[in-house]
């Protein structure tokens, strides 16, 4: 069922979902369309909560109120998912993720994120995409202990400086490669970095995002 259509025709689909939830259902990816005009409430979430969900894709540019409602009402469900993707949400921080140690992939594209604190406990992340955060977060310290992170996309995150309030941002990224598993770093479209040598000295190639072996 297309979930955008589901929200707009909830009464029509409700009886069908009631029958489905009598069975143990596993959904690899839930495409959760919470754009403007698609209304979501406790009634809908209570049915979806009975389904085992591997990953959630908030398709389209999520409506801010819908997103806040899902995050506040569905905390336990978010704890178990391994992948979350969303676009165009304004976020003061990432505290809604602070207890999600199962998360292995997170994509927050074109989201205005002021602070990435809250992500530091997502220690099993392997892929992280924060691209398109203009004039947003400046401190990469919450990433410093992500020892299994393999791919990081910071394209067009122009709020990041070499150093921020004594935080050595590029040194944190370099250590993720030297002491961890980071082998892909996409970091173009940033005019705030003055000196890239901390990364280029360990073989990072900006054009490809790869590190020379």
């Amino acid at each position: 069922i297309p979930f955008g259509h589901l929200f707009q025709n909830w009464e029509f689909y409700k009886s069908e979902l009631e029958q489905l939830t009598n069975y143990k259902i596993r959904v690899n990816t839930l495409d959760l369309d919470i754009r403007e005009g698609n209304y979501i409430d406790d009634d809908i979430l209570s049915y979806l909560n009975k389904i085992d969900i591997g990953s959630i894709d908030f398709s389209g540019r999520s409506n801010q109120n819908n997103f806040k409602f899902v995050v506040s009402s569905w905390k336990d469900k978010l704890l178990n998912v391994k992948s979350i993707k969303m676009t165009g949400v304004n976020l003061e921080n990432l505290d809604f993720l602070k207890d999600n140690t199962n998360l292995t992939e997170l994509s927050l594209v074109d989201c205005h994120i002021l602070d990435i604190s809250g992500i530091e406990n997502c220690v099993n992340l392997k892929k992280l995409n924060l691209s398109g955060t203009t004039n947003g977060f400046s401190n990469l310290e919450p990433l410093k202990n992500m020892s299994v992170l393999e791919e990081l996309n910071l394209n067009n995150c122009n709020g990041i400086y070499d150093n921020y309030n004594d935080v050595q941002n590029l040194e944190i990224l370099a250590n993720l490669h030297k002491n961890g598993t980071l082998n892909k770093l996409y970091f173009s479209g940033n005019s705030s970095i003055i000196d890239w040598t901390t990364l280029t000295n360990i073989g990072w190639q900006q054009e490809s995002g790869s590190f020379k072996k």
Side-chain angles (χ1 to χ4, degrees):
I1 302 171
F3 279 91
H5 190 61
L6 167 66
F7 296 151
Q8 295 167 350
N9 300 274
W10 175 237
E11 291 303 321
F12 178 79
Y13 285 117
K14 186 175 180 179
S15 61
E16 294 185 24
L17 280 178
E18 283 178 334
Q19 295 178 42
L20 284 176
T21 52
N22 291 325
Y23 302 91
K24 186 173 178 60
I25 300 173
R26 166 76 177 180
V27 174
N28 288 331
T29 301
L30 174 64
D31 187 357
L32 197 60
D33 189 339
I34 54 173
R35 286 175 288 189
E36 194 74 42
N38 292 336
Y39 302 104
I40 188 166
D41 58 21
D42 282 321
D43 199 15
I44 295 174
L45 287 183
S46 67
Y47 282 95
L48 296 180
N49 205 37
K50 299 172 185 177
I51 300 172
D52 185 15
I53 298 169
S55 63
I56 300 176
D57 187 348
F58 293 90
S59 59
R61 299 187 73 85
S62 301
N63 172 270
Q64 196 71 19
N65 290 330
N66 280 343
F67 171 74
K68 287 181 178 179
F69 181 79
V70 170
V71 167
S72 62
S73 303
W74 227 12
K75 280 188 175 181
D76 290 342
K77 177 61 71 176
L78 291 176
L79 288 180
N80 296 317
V81 299
K82 293 185 178 297
S83 171
I84 296 176
K85 299 179 182 180
M86 64 182 70
T87 306
V89 178
N90 295 328
L91 300 167
E92 290 185 10
N93 53 53
L94 300 181
D95 277 353
F96 73 99
L97 296 170
K98 65 182 180 181
D99 296 318
N100 193 329
T101 57
N102 293 312
L103 202 63
T104 59
E105 181 174 358
L106 176 64
S107 178
L108 304 174
V109 176
D110 293 336
C111 293
H112 185 61
I113 308 168
L114 296 178
D115 184 351
I116 61 171
S117 61
I119 201 175
E120 58 270 17
N121 292 329
C122 301
V123 292
N124 289 308
L125 273 176
K126 293 185 177 181
K127 294 181 68 174
L128 176 59
N129 187 347
L130 300 173
S131 62
T133 299
T134 56
N135 302 316
F137 62 92
S138 302
N139 184 356
L140 296 181
E141 193 163 20
L143 303 181
K144 69 180 183 181
N145 293 320
M146 294 195 171
S147 59
V148 299
L149 188 64
E150 298 173 356
E151 182 176 314
L152 176 60
N153 191 330
L154 296 173
N155 283 346
N156 300 311
C157 294
N158 60 12
I160 301 172
Y161 295 82
D162 313 46
N163 306 314
Y164 177 77
N165 289 348
D166 296 326
V167 174
Q168 309 290 318
N169 281 324
L170 296 192
E171 193 64 41
I172 289 171
L173 297 177
N175 286 335
L176 289 176
H177 172 68
K178 291 187 293 184
N179 304 324
T181 57
L182 186 68
N183 53 50
K184 283 285 186 179
L185 172 62
Y186 302 103
F187 204 173
S188 63
N190 187 312
S191 57
S192 302
I193 303 294
I194 299 172
D195 184 0
W196 293 95
T197 55
T198 300
L199 291 173
T200 56
N201 282 347
I202 59 171
W204 179 63
Q205 304 169 90
Q206 189 171 22
E207 288 187 5
S208 66
S210 301
F211 291 86
K212 288 182 180 177
K213 295 182 179 179

